[in-house]
PDB file of all heavy atoms in Angstrom:
ATOM      1  N   ALA B  40       0.681   1.100   5.570  1.00 82.00           N
ATOM      2  CA  ALA B  40       1.297   2.257   6.231  1.00 82.00           C
ATOM      3  C   ALA B  40       2.192   1.798   7.372  1.00 82.00           C
ATOM      4  O   ALA B  40       3.311   2.291   7.538  1.00 82.00           O
ATOM      5  CB  ALA B  40       0.216   3.196   6.741  1.00 82.00           C
ATOM      6  N   ALA B  41       1.685   0.847   8.153  1.00 83.00           N
ATOM      7  CA  ALA B  41       2.465   0.347   9.297  1.00 83.00           C
ATOM      8  C   ALA B  41       3.750  -0.318   8.821  1.00 83.00           C
ATOM      9  O   ALA B  41       4.827  -0.104   9.391  1.00 83.00           O
ATOM     10  CB  ALA B  41       1.621  -0.637  10.106  1.00 83.00           C
ATOM     11  N   ILE B  42       3.636  -1.103   7.754  1.00 85.00           N
ATOM     12  CA  ILE B  42       4.812  -1.808   7.237  1.00 85.00           C
ATOM     13  C   ILE B  42       5.828  -0.799   6.686  1.00 85.00           C
ATOM     14  O   ILE B  42       7.025  -0.924   6.916  1.00 85.00           O
ATOM     15  CB  ILE B  42       4.408  -2.837   6.156  1.00 85.00           C
ATOM     16  CG1 ILE B  42       3.535  -3.923   6.778  1.00 85.00           C
ATOM     17  CG2 ILE B  42       5.627  -3.493   5.531  1.00 85.00           C
ATOM     18  CD1 ILE B  42       2.936  -4.880   5.770  1.00 85.00           C
ATOM     19  N   ALA B  43       5.319   0.219   5.976  1.00 83.00           N
ATOM     20  CA  ALA B  43       6.216   1.248   5.423  1.00 83.00           C
ATOM     21  C   ALA B  43       6.981   1.943   6.540  1.00 83.00           C
ATOM     22  O   ALA B  43       8.170   2.223   6.431  1.00 83.00           O
ATOM     23  CB  ALA B  43       5.410   2.256   4.613  1.00 83.00           C
ATOM     24  N   MET B  44       6.277   2.215   7.649  1.00 82.00           N
ATOM     25  CA  MET B  44       6.898   2.905   8.778  1.00 82.00           C
ATOM     26  C   MET B  44       7.941   2.028   9.477  1.00 82.00           C
ATOM     27  O   MET B  44       8.964   2.506   9.947  1.00 82.00           O
ATOM     28  CB  MET B  44       5.802   3.282   9.764  1.00 82.00           C
ATOM     29  CG  MET B  44       5.951   4.675  10.237  1.00 82.00           C
ATOM     30  SD  MET B  44       4.541   5.319  11.140  1.00 82.00           S
ATOM     31  CE  MET B  44       3.443   4.026  11.467  1.00 82.00           C
ATOM     32  N   LEU B  45       7.632   0.743   9.545  1.00 83.00           N
ATOM     33  CA  LEU B  45       8.536  -0.168  10.251  1.00 83.00           C
ATOM     34  C   LEU B  45       9.690  -0.649   9.371  1.00 83.00           C
ATOM     35  O   LEU B  45      10.652  -1.225   9.878  1.00 83.00           O
ATOM     36  CB  LEU B  45       7.745  -1.383  10.769  1.00 83.00           C
ATOM     37  CG  LEU B  45       6.759  -1.089  11.903  1.00 83.00           C
ATOM     38  CD1 LEU B  45       5.826  -2.267  12.112  1.00 83.00           C
ATOM     39  CD2 LEU B  45       7.482  -0.781  13.199  1.00 83.00           C
ATOM     40  N   LEU B  46       9.567  -0.416   8.075  1.00 81.00           N
ATOM     41  CA  LEU B  46      10.566  -0.927   7.122  1.00 81.00           C
ATOM     42  C   LEU B  46      12.016  -0.533   7.476  1.00 81.00           C
ATOM     43  O   LEU B  46      12.887  -1.389   7.504  1.00 81.00           O
ATOM     44  CB  LEU B  46      10.195  -0.452   5.728  1.00 81.00           C
ATOM     45  CG  LEU B  46      10.812  -1.194   4.541  1.00 81.00           C
ATOM     46  CD1 LEU B  46       9.868  -1.127   3.370  1.00 81.00           C
ATOM     47  CD2 LEU B  46      12.133  -0.657   4.125  1.00 81.00           C
ATOM     48  N   PRO B  47      12.279   0.762   7.774  1.00 77.00           N
ATOM     49  CA  PRO B  47      13.673   1.109   8.068  1.00 77.00           C
ATOM     50  C   PRO B  47      14.241   0.384   9.292  1.00 77.00           C
ATOM     51  O   PRO B  47      15.443   0.135   9.355  1.00 77.00           O
ATOM     52  CB  PRO B  47      13.614   2.618   8.314  1.00 77.00           C
ATOM     53  CG  PRO B  47      12.380   3.067   7.646  1.00 77.00           C
ATOM     54  CD  PRO B  47      11.418   1.942   7.787  1.00 77.00           C
ATOM     55  N   ILE B  48      13.370   0.065  10.236  1.00 77.00           N
ATOM     56  CA  ILE B  48      13.849  -0.637  11.441  1.00 77.00           C
ATOM     57  C   ILE B  48      14.390  -2.012  11.051  1.00 77.00           C
ATOM     58  O   ILE B  48      15.368  -2.494  11.616  1.00 77.00           O
ATOM     59  CB  ILE B  48      12.696  -0.780  12.463  1.00 77.00           C
ATOM     60  CG1 ILE B  48      12.226   0.605  12.898  1.00 77.00           C
ATOM     61  CG2 ILE B  48      13.127  -1.591  13.676  1.00 77.00           C
ATOM     62  CD1 ILE B  48      10.996   0.602  13.756  1.00 77.00           C
ATOM     63  N   THR B  49      13.736  -2.627  10.062  1.00 80.00           N
ATOM     64  CA  THR B  49      14.121  -3.985   9.682  1.00 80.00           C
ATOM     65  C   THR B  49      15.491  -4.037   9.001  1.00 80.00           C
ATOM     66  O   THR B  49      16.029  -5.110   8.792  1.00 80.00           O
ATOM     67  CB  THR B  49      13.068  -4.604   8.733  1.00 80.00           C
ATOM     68  OG1 THR B  49      13.016  -3.799   7.560  1.00 80.00           O
ATOM     69  CG2 THR B  49      11.703  -4.659   9.365  1.00 80.00           C
ATOM     70  N   TYR B  50      16.011  -2.861   8.654  1.00 77.00           N
ATOM     71  CA  TYR B  50      17.349  -2.786   8.074  1.00 77.00           C
ATOM     72  C   TYR B  50      18.367  -3.401   9.032  1.00 77.00           C
ATOM     73  O   TYR B  50      19.383  -3.941   8.616  1.00 77.00           O
ATOM     74  CB  TYR B  50      17.682  -1.318   7.811  1.00 77.00           C
ATOM     75  CG  TYR B  50      18.993  -1.090   7.101  1.00 77.00           C
ATOM     76  CD1 TYR B  50      19.077  -1.267   5.726  1.00 77.00           C
ATOM     77  CD2 TYR B  50      20.134  -0.682   7.791  1.00 77.00           C
ATOM     78  CE1 TYR B  50      20.271  -1.057   5.063  1.00 77.00           C
ATOM     79  CE2 TYR B  50      21.330  -0.464   7.127  1.00 77.00           C
ATOM     80  CZ  TYR B  50      21.397  -0.657   5.772  1.00 77.00           C
ATOM     81  OH  TYR B  50      22.580  -0.445   5.119  1.00 77.00           O
ATOM     82  N   TYR B  51      18.050  -3.284  10.316  1.00 78.00           N
ATOM     83  CA  TYR B  51      19.001  -3.740  11.342  1.00 78.00           C
ATOM     84  C   TYR B  51      18.680  -5.164  11.808  1.00 78.00           C
ATOM     85  O   TYR B  51      19.217  -5.641  12.790  1.00 78.00           O
ATOM     86  CB  TYR B  51      18.993  -2.752  12.523  1.00 78.00           C
ATOM     87  CG  TYR B  51      19.244  -1.352  12.035  1.00 78.00           C
ATOM     88  CD1 TYR B  51      18.194  -0.496  11.694  1.00 78.00           C
ATOM     89  CD2 TYR B  51      20.540  -0.890  11.830  1.00 78.00           C
ATOM     90  CE1 TYR B  51      18.422   0.768  11.200  1.00 78.00           C
ATOM     91  CE2 TYR B  51      20.783   0.378  11.323  1.00 78.00           C
ATOM     92  CZ  TYR B  51      19.722   1.206  11.016  1.00 78.00           C
ATOM     93  OH  TYR B  51      19.957   2.458  10.506  1.00 78.00           O
ATOM     94  N   MET B  52      17.769  -5.819  11.131  1.00 82.00           N
ATOM     95  CA  MET B  52      17.383  -7.187  11.510  1.00 82.00           C
ATOM     96  C   MET B  52      17.939  -8.198  10.508  1.00 82.00           C
ATOM     97  O   MET B  52      18.305  -7.833   9.385  1.00 82.00           O
ATOM     98  CB  MET B  52      15.853  -7.331  11.513  1.00 82.00           C
ATOM     99  CG  MET B  52      15.127  -6.545  12.563  1.00 82.00           C
ATOM    100  SD  MET B  52      13.349  -6.847  12.347  1.00 82.00           S
ATOM    101  CE  MET B  52      12.665  -5.818  13.627  1.00 82.00           C
ATOM    102  N   ASP B  53      17.893  -9.454  10.896  1.00 87.00           N
ATOM    103  CA  ASP B  53      18.215 -10.552   9.998  1.00 87.00           C
ATOM    104  C   ASP B  53      17.144 -10.563   8.876  1.00 87.00           C
ATOM    105  O   ASP B  53      15.974 -10.300   9.160  1.00 87.00           O
ATOM    106  CB  ASP B  53      18.154 -11.835  10.843  1.00 87.00           C
ATOM    107  CG  ASP B  53      18.271 -13.063  10.010  1.00 87.00           C
ATOM    108  OD1 ASP B  53      19.365 -13.284   9.491  1.00 87.00           O
ATOM    109  OD2 ASP B  53      17.258 -13.783   9.860  1.00 87.00           O
ATOM    110  N   PRO B  54      17.504 -10.839   7.602  1.00 88.00           N
ATOM    111  CA  PRO B  54      16.513 -10.755   6.515  1.00 88.00           C
ATOM    112  C   PRO B  54      15.241 -11.569   6.769  1.00 88.00           C
ATOM    113  O   PRO B  54      14.133 -11.062   6.555  1.00 88.00           O
ATOM    114  CB  PRO B  54      17.263 -11.296   5.306  1.00 88.00           C
ATOM    115  CG  PRO B  54      18.691 -11.159   5.614  1.00 88.00           C
ATOM    116  CD  PRO B  54      18.841 -11.176   7.093  1.00 88.00           C
ATOM    117  N   LEU B  55      15.382 -12.812   7.239  1.00 90.00           N
ATOM    118  CA  LEU B  55      14.200 -13.648   7.461  1.00 90.00           C
ATOM    119  C   LEU B  55      13.316 -13.041   8.542  1.00 90.00           C
ATOM    120  O   LEU B  55      12.091 -12.985   8.408  1.00 90.00           O
ATOM    121  CB  LEU B  55      14.613 -15.077   7.840  1.00 90.00           C
ATOM    122  CG  LEU B  55      13.450 -16.005   8.179  1.00 90.00           C
ATOM    123  CD1 LEU B  55      12.531 -16.215   6.974  1.00 90.00           C
ATOM    124  CD2 LEU B  55      13.944 -17.359   8.679  1.00 90.00           C
ATOM    125  N   PHE B  56      13.960 -12.590   9.604  1.00 90.00           N
ATOM    126  CA  PHE B  56      13.253 -11.985  10.736  1.00 90.00           C
ATOM    127  C   PHE B  56      12.443 -10.776  10.248  1.00 90.00           C
ATOM    128  O   PHE B  56      11.255 -10.629  10.555  1.00 90.00           O
ATOM    129  CB  PHE B  56      14.317 -11.555  11.757  1.00 90.00           C
ATOM    130  CG  PHE B  56      13.814 -11.439  13.145  1.00 90.00           C
ATOM    131  CD1 PHE B  56      13.779 -12.549  13.986  1.00 90.00           C
ATOM    132  CD2 PHE B  56      13.377 -10.221  13.635  1.00 90.00           C
ATOM    133  CE1 PHE B  56      13.314 -12.430  15.276  1.00 90.00           C
ATOM    134  CE2 PHE B  56      12.912 -10.103  14.923  1.00 90.00           C
ATOM    135  CZ  PHE B  56      12.885 -11.203  15.751  1.00 90.00           C
ATOM    136  N   ALA B  57      13.133  -9.923   9.452  1.00 89.00           N
ATOM    137  CA  ALA B  57      12.500  -8.692   8.949  1.00 89.00           C
ATOM    138  C   ALA B  57      11.333  -9.018   8.016  1.00 89.00           C
ATOM    139  O   ALA B  57      10.230  -8.488   8.174  1.00 89.00           O
ATOM    140  CB  ALA B  57      13.541  -7.866   8.200  1.00 89.00           C
ATOM    141  N   LEU B  58      11.581  -9.910   7.066  1.00 90.00           N
ATOM    142  CA  LEU B  58      10.545 -10.249   6.091  1.00 90.00           C
ATOM    143  C   LEU B  58       9.349 -10.915   6.755  1.00 90.00           C
ATOM    144  O   LEU B  58       8.198 -10.589   6.465  1.00 90.00           O
ATOM    145  CB  LEU B  58      11.131 -11.171   5.016  1.00 90.00           C
ATOM    146  CG  LEU B  58      11.992 -10.484   3.962  1.00 90.00           C
ATOM    147  CD1 LEU B  58      12.840 -11.505   3.212  1.00 90.00           C
ATOM    148  CD2 LEU B  58      11.125  -9.710   2.976  1.00 90.00           C
ATOM    149  N   ALA B  59       9.637 -11.851   7.663  1.00 92.00           N
ATOM    150  CA  ALA B  59       8.551 -12.574   8.343  1.00 92.00           C
ATOM    151  C   ALA B  59       7.701 -11.612   9.158  1.00 92.00           C
ATOM    152  O   ALA B  59       6.464 -11.672   9.124  1.00 92.00           O
ATOM    153  CB  ALA B  59       9.137 -13.662   9.243  1.00 92.00           C
ATOM    154  N   PHE B  60       8.359 -10.707   9.863  1.00 92.00           N
ATOM    155  CA  PHE B  60       7.653  -9.738  10.712  1.00 92.00           C
ATOM    156  C   PHE B  60       6.685  -8.896   9.875  1.00 92.00           C
ATOM    157  O   PHE B  60       5.504  -8.775  10.207  1.00 92.00           O
ATOM    158  CB  PHE B  60       8.701  -8.855  11.411  1.00 92.00           C
ATOM    159  CG  PHE B  60       8.131  -7.906  12.425  1.00 92.00           C
ATOM    160  CD1 PHE B  60       7.496  -8.378  13.560  1.00 92.00           C
ATOM    161  CD2 PHE B  60       8.239  -6.536  12.247  1.00 92.00           C
ATOM    162  CE1 PHE B  60       6.968  -7.494  14.495  1.00 92.00           C
ATOM    163  CE2 PHE B  60       7.722  -5.653  13.176  1.00 92.00           C
ATOM    164  CZ  PHE B  60       7.089  -6.137  14.304  1.00 92.00           C
TER     165      PHE B  60
END
Side-chain angles (χ1 to χ4, degrees):
Chain B
I42 296 172
M44 225 168 10
L45 291 167
L46 199 150
I48 298 173
T49 61
Y50 185 79
Y51 306 92
M52 293 179 181
D53 172 70
L55 176 63
F56 203 86
L58 283 163
F60 186 64

